[in-house]
Amino acid sequence: MAEKTKVTRIKATETAPKAKKSTEAAKSKAVKAKPGKAPRAHKERKNWLVRALLGIGGYFKGAWTELRLVRWPTRRATWGLTLAVILFSAFFVVVILLLDAGFKYLFEIIIGK
C-alpha cells in the first residue's frame, strides 16, 4: 500500500506556517517602555528631508523598472501610427467644418438674412 503523507493546503490569504520562537527569546527582545508611551520607531526619528529624498529615489527607481518592461514600437510601427493619427485628425476636421457650414446655412434660413 501507498504510504500516507500529510498535505497542508495554504490559501492565498494565509501565510506559510512559521517555526515557533522560544518565550525567553521573545521576552529578551521586548522593548520596555514607560507606561502610557509607545516606543518610537526608528523611521520616526529620521530627518524629514532624508525621508523625502528616499521617497523620491524610490519613485524614480520604480519608474525606471517600469520603463524597462515597456515594449517599445519599431520605427516603422511608429510612423504608421503617426500617419493614422494625422489621417483621423484630418477626417474629423473636415466633418466639423461641414457641420459648422450646415448649421450656419440653417440659421441663416431661419433668421432670414
Side-chain angles (χ1 to χ4, degrees):
M1 291 195 131
E3 191 176 313
K4 290 189 176 186
T5 58
K6 183 179 177 183
V7 177
T8 304
R9 297 188 186 270
I10 300 173
K11 294 182 181 178
T13 57
E14 297 177 347
T15 58
K18 295 181 182 177
K20 294 182 181 179
K21 293 182 181 180
S22 67
T23 55
E24 291 178 24
K27 287 179 184 178
S28 67
K29 289 185 180 181
V31 177
K32 295 181 181 179
K34 294 180 182 178
K37 286 191 175 183
R40 286 182 138 189
H42 179 67
K43 198 172 192 179
E44 290 177 334
R45 285 186 261 150
K46 285 187 177 179
N47 189 357
W48 68 271
L49 182 61
V50 172
R51 284 185 288 161
L53 291 175
L54 289 175
I56 292 170
Y59 170 78
F60 284 111
K61 182 179 178 183
W64 183 256
T65 303
E66 289 296 323
L67 280 174
R68 292 183 70 206
L69 297 175
V70 172
R71 183 173 165 238
W72 297 101
T74 62
R75 183 177 297 267
R76 185 174 182 176
T78 303
W79 280 111
L81 292 171
T82 303
L83 181 64
V85 167
I86 291 170
L87 289 175
F88 278 111
S89 299
F91 172 76
F92 283 108
V93 164
V94 170
V95 168
I96 290 172
L97 286 174
L98 288 173
L99 286 172
D100 184 49
F103 285 126
K104 181 182 176 186
Y105 177 73
L106 286 174
F107 286 136
E108 286 178 356
I109 291 174
I110 293 171
I111 295 175
K113 278 190 171 183

